[in-house]
Amino acid sequence: MEQALKSLVASIKNSYVFLDIASTDKRATIHELISKAASQGLAVDPTATADEVFSNERSISSGLGYGVAFPHTDLENLKKEVLIFGTSKNGVAFDSVDKKPAHLIILFLTPRGADSRYVEHLSLFADLSHLTMYVVMILESRTEKEFKKRAIELLKKGGMRL
């Protein structure tokens, strides 16, 4: 668990963070997050990548509930895991288990075929997402730097409790 936490902290430090995204539905949100990351240097085709993520969503929604969604896909030409965070004040209709909108979207892009820590990272975030106060504290971030700092601090605190 400790190694997974260290790995996740490194991924958060290198992540993309977009506060208060505009989209309100799942498909548009996924595309918006990937397009914004691509405009900041992520070397992926936004439309093809969004289509792959959305293809996974057709099988089972990544809307876990508690205001959090965890969309994911693996990509052939990706060298390492990429995290893209999006927040939404109004919420995104993500077909969540609890039928409530997602306000924190954590998009995982992982290398295809590589030994990925995705499941361990997802587990850490999922366990933490049930603690609603932690999600609210992350959502109150005003800058990308503050968001990353809070996410790391809360994961470390939560990791000690889990």
Side-chain angles (χ1 to χ4, degrees):
M1 181 74 97
E2 189 174 321
Q3 186 60 33
L5 184 59
K6 285 181 182 179
S7 174
L8 182 53
V9 166
S11 290
I12 292 170
K13 288 179 179 178
N14 294 311
S15 68
Y16 298 89
V17 177
F18 304 105
L19 304 176
D20 202 24
I21 58 175
S23 302
T24 58
D25 71 76
K26 184 182 343 187
R27 186 176 196 87
T29 296
I30 290 168
H31 193 272
E32 179 181 352
L33 291 174
I34 295 168
S35 294
K36 286 183 172 194
S39 74
Q40 291 186 4
L42 179 61
V44 298
D45 175 321
T47 301
T49 303
D51 287 346
E52 286 199 42
V53 174
F54 199 71
S55 176
N56 291 342
E57 288 293 315
R58 282 190 216 119
S59 303
I60 186 166
S61 177
S62 60
L64 218 60
Y66 304 96
V68 183
F70 300 98
H72 165 266
T73 198
D74 57 344
L75 299 172
E76 191 67 43
N77 297 320
L78 204 61
K79 303 269 189 252
K80 62 181 182 173
E81 178 180 77
V82 174
L83 292 177
I84 306 171
F85 294 96
T87 66
S88 171
K89 287 184 177 81
N90 296 324
V92 176
F94 238 95
D95 302 321
S96 298
V97 175
D98 62 3
K99 308 290 186 222
K100 294 181 181 173
H103 295 276
L104 175 62
I105 297 88
I106 304 170
L107 174 59
F108 289 86
L109 303 177
T110 58
R112 185 166 292 149
D115 181 23
S116 173
R117 292 202 171 267
Y118 161 70
V119 174
E120 292 172 319
H121 291 175
L122 175 61
S123 177
L124 287 169
F125 272 125
D127 287 344
L128 195 61
S129 71
H130 296 336
L131 306 171
T132 308
M133 66 175 189
Y134 284 178
V135 175
V136 169
M137 289 174 73
I138 292 170
L139 289 172
E140 290 177 347
S141 301
R142 291 192 176 107
T143 66
E144 177 181 343
K145 184 177 179 179
E146 182 181 8
F147 180 98
K148 289 179 180 183
K149 180 180 178 199
R150 284 183 177 187
I152 290 168
E153 287 173 355
L154 294 173
L155 274 168
K156 286 180 176 178
K157 285 179 188 175
M160 288 184 254
R161 294 183 48 204
L162 302 174

